[in-house]
Amino acid sequence: MSYDEETAERLRRLLYTRPDVVEKKMFGGLCFMVNGGMCCGLTSAALMVRVGKDRYDDALAQPHARPMDFTGRSLTGMVYVDPAGYKSDAALARWVQRGLDFVSTLPARKAVTKRPKKKLSRR
């Protein structure tokens, strides 16, 4: 997994006061989950921000933002922001706030715990 560790540290500094933040390796990069929902993250080339469908067009109108097309097609409600769009700490904070604003509208999700697989007995 490759992402910019310096930017990851900047994101951690913005989110560290929240007790509901969990880091997860996803999408070939690093994601920050807030209250169980994906808020933002990093890939090797861009910041990912979950802005939701209602604020998607507004987010795409911002400089250096583009549709997130991780799967080969656009994921409505999620955007990539190129590094020039979050170069300053203030710009990064604005993008993170967009993600936090959206995630705050979602119901809290329980952490998923994996159960050990049961061995099937052969008869």
Side-chain angles (χ1 to χ4, degrees):
M1 299 204 183
S2 91
Y3 52 85
D4 180 33
E5 188 58 44
E6 183 178 319
T7 303
E9 280 301 317
R10 291 171 63 205
L11 287 167
R12 289 179 187 112
R13 283 194 299 271
L14 288 169
L15 296 167
Y16 84 98
T17 59
R18 297 184 62 103
D20 56 352
V21 174
V22 174
E23 289 183 31
K24 278 190 163 184
K25 299 213 182 219
M26 297 173 64
F27 297 110
L30 181 67
C31 287
F32 291 86
M33 310 294 283
V34 176
N35 208 18
M38 190 236 170
C39 173
C40 60
L42 292 170
T43 66
S44 60
L47 174 70
M48 299 179 291
V49 183
R50 187 174 181 194
V51 296
K53 291 180 181 180
D54 292 343
R55 296 186 179 166
Y56 183 66
D57 290 333
D58 179 57
L60 287 177
Q62 303 305 309
H64 310 287
R66 56 191 165 89
M68 184 173 167
D69 59 356
F70 179 75
T71 60
R73 60 180 191 182
S74 295
L75 298 172
T76 303
M78 298 190 62
V79 296
Y80 279 141
V81 183
D82 294 324
Y86 59 88
K87 187 174 182 179
S88 73
D89 288 341
L92 182 62
R94 283 191 297 274
W95 280 110
V96 169
Q97 189 60 54
R98 283 183 172 100
L100 290 170
D101 289 346
F102 175 72
V103 172
S104 70
T105 67
L106 302 175
R109 296 173 68 178
K110 285 185 176 180
V112 176
T113 56
K114 292 184 180 177
R115 294 184 194 180
K117 291 183 181 179
K118 292 182 181 180
K119 291 185 179 181
L120 297 175
S121 61
R122 293 185 178 198
R123 294 182 188 200

